[in-house]
Amino acid sequence: MRTTIFSSLALVGALASVSTAHGDHEEYGQIPIVSGPSEVTNLFERPILEKDTYVPSFAGISTFAHLPYRQCWEEGSADDYDIAVIGAPYDIGVTFRTGARFGPSAIREGSKRIKGYNMEVGINPFRSWASMVDCGDVPFEPFSSEHAMKQIEEYTKYLLLRPPQIGESESKPPRLITLGGDHTILLPVLRSMRAAYNKPVQVIHFDSHVDTWAPEIYNVKSQQSKYNHGNPLYHAAKEGLVANGTSMHVGIRSSLYDEDDLARDIALGFNIIKANDIFKLGVDGIVERMHEILGPADDSLVYLSIDIDVIDPSMAPATGTPETGGFLTREMRYILRGLKDYNLVGMDVVEVAPAYDTQAQLTSFLAADLIYEVMSMMVKSGEQ
């Protein structure tokens, strides 16, 4: 008992000593906060890390091609970017296989291996005048197609209708790259483009299907079914969002609902380059035909919409409505590069449904590579 009492008294005395000597921090191992260099780091023996070390392509958080992530829709977030990448994981408009909602994450994952310098275009888009960011995915409610499309439109407009940046006398929209999602997302994006540029854009639609089927062609009755991935360009043409006569479909080869489908499509103002035209025209001939339809490159406003099913399913199996007899990946990349002299204001890659991909992620890699080609051309044209 006596030992316990003495121990308690000793503890009280020690605490009292600490209290009275609190003004002298260094006696008890504490270092006062002062301005200037500090020795705290040495006390903990933390290593000095190397700067600018090599990071393997498979590491890191999956933004597109390791671009910096920015919360572009947060209040106060800086708008000083030239190219914005967004995801639209919407797939409630599909008519066959679902799964394109996972497209944005799969494309970002497939983009990890993209290197910098594009030897065909002659530029490294990641070390250039252009500031590029990945804004993440558009938030929306995936239960009502009309409401979700309105949300995608509003969030896209928010990016495009930014205020003038430092050194600009008027607002200039950034170039927009959208990762789909099914092809329904093209309609809200084109509505945003129309608002940003105050005129219709020239749409080059790479697809195996024309995507201009009117709702009555499907014999659908409900308002909820009015918008789907088979008719974004029908609505876009009706709403005056696309340039009549200088917009086109490239790679068409699917069966049609009836023999009048193509006539109805042409009446909406579209030109058609079929996949089988490659046998007669070759890739250079297809590029020439695209130039003829577009007209002069000066003052052009071109939007590229790429449904991954434009590629033959032997090379891009991960899609909801595959059609055999499509372009090869090499042909597609060559055709895209033929547009290098045009003002490419935006693009999307849609209908990537990774659940149907091979274990080698072929479709995701391809989608990322097609975006890289267009991104390189966007930056190259901006140098001039």
Side-chain angles (χ1 to χ4, degrees), residues 34-273:
V34 294
S35 60
S38 172
E39 299 299 324
V40 174
T41 303
N42 291 340
L43 281 179
F44 296 100
E45 298 183 352
R46 299 182 75 180
I48 298 174
L49 301 180
E50 296 179 17
K51 303 297 182 183
D52 301 320
T53 57
Y54 172 79
V55 178
S57 60
F58 50 79
I61 297 172
S62 293
T63 60
F64 184 83
H66 300 283
L67 291 178
Y69 169 63
R70 183 175 296 180
Q71 294 177 313
C72 303
W73 297 290
E74 290 290 322
E75 187 175 351
S77 177
D79 295 320
D80 57 342
Y81 42 80
D82 302 294
I83 298 176
V85 178
I86 65 172
Y90 172 108
D91 71 351
I92 56 178
V94 299
T95 56
F96 194 50
R97 302 195 301 197
T98 60
R101 65 183 57 188
F102 301 111
S105 58
I107 295 171
R108 288 186 175 105
E109 184 69 20
S111 73
K112 280 187 168 183
R113 52 172 290 281
I114 288 178
K115 300 292 192 296
Y117 189 79
N118 187 323
M119 66 177 181
E120 298 296 336
V121 180
I123 198 166
N124 182 341
F126 308 107
R127 294 185 179 180
S128 66
W129 61 271
S131 171
M132 300 186 288
V133 296
D134 188 330
C135 299
D137 292 345
V138 174
F140 66 90
E141 298 175 16
F143 311 111
S144 163
S145 60
E146 207 155 358
H147 181 61
M149 287 171 58
K150 183 64 176 176
Q151 289 177 293
I152 294 170
E153 180 183 344
E154 291 298 316
Y155 277 85
T156 307
K157 277 183 182 176
Y158 185 90
L159 299 182
L160 296 176
L161 298 176
R162 65 183 181 184
Q165 301 301 294
I166 296 174
E168 293 180 351
S169 58
E170 58 183 11
S171 176
K172 183 180 178 182
R175 289 171 170 85
L176 183 69
I177 296 174
T178 306
L179 319 178
D182 77 49
H183 223 150
T184 316
I185 68 157
L186 175 58
L187 180 57
V189 171
L190 288 179
R191 287 170 175 168
S192 302
M193 287 282 168
R194 180 70 171 83
Y197 291 98
N198 295 312
K199 64 178 182 178
V201 294
Q202 297 166 284
V203 175
I204 304 179
H205 171 228
F206 293 94
D207 203 323
S208 62
H209 315 89
V210 291
D211 286 1
T212 54
W213 284 293
E216 57 268 22
I217 299 298
Y218 290 100
N219 198 30
V220 295
K221 303 295 191 297
S222 73
Q223 182 70 15
Q224 179 75 6
S225 303
K226 179 180 179 181
Y227 301 104
N228 58 63
H229 74 162
N231 62 24
L233 289 172
Y234 167 82
H235 294 290
K238 290 289 189 180
E239 294 177 21
L241 309 179
V242 299
N244 194 322
T246 58
S247 295
M248 71 193 84
H249 313 292
V250 182
I252 303 302
R253 62 186 186 278
S254 73
S255 60
L256 305 175
Y257 281 88
D258 62 52
E259 61 184 356
D260 295 326
D261 279 348
L262 294 185
R264 284 189 284 261
D265 182 83
I266 293 170
L268 289 171
F270 292 97
N271 296 273
I272 299 174
I273 301 174

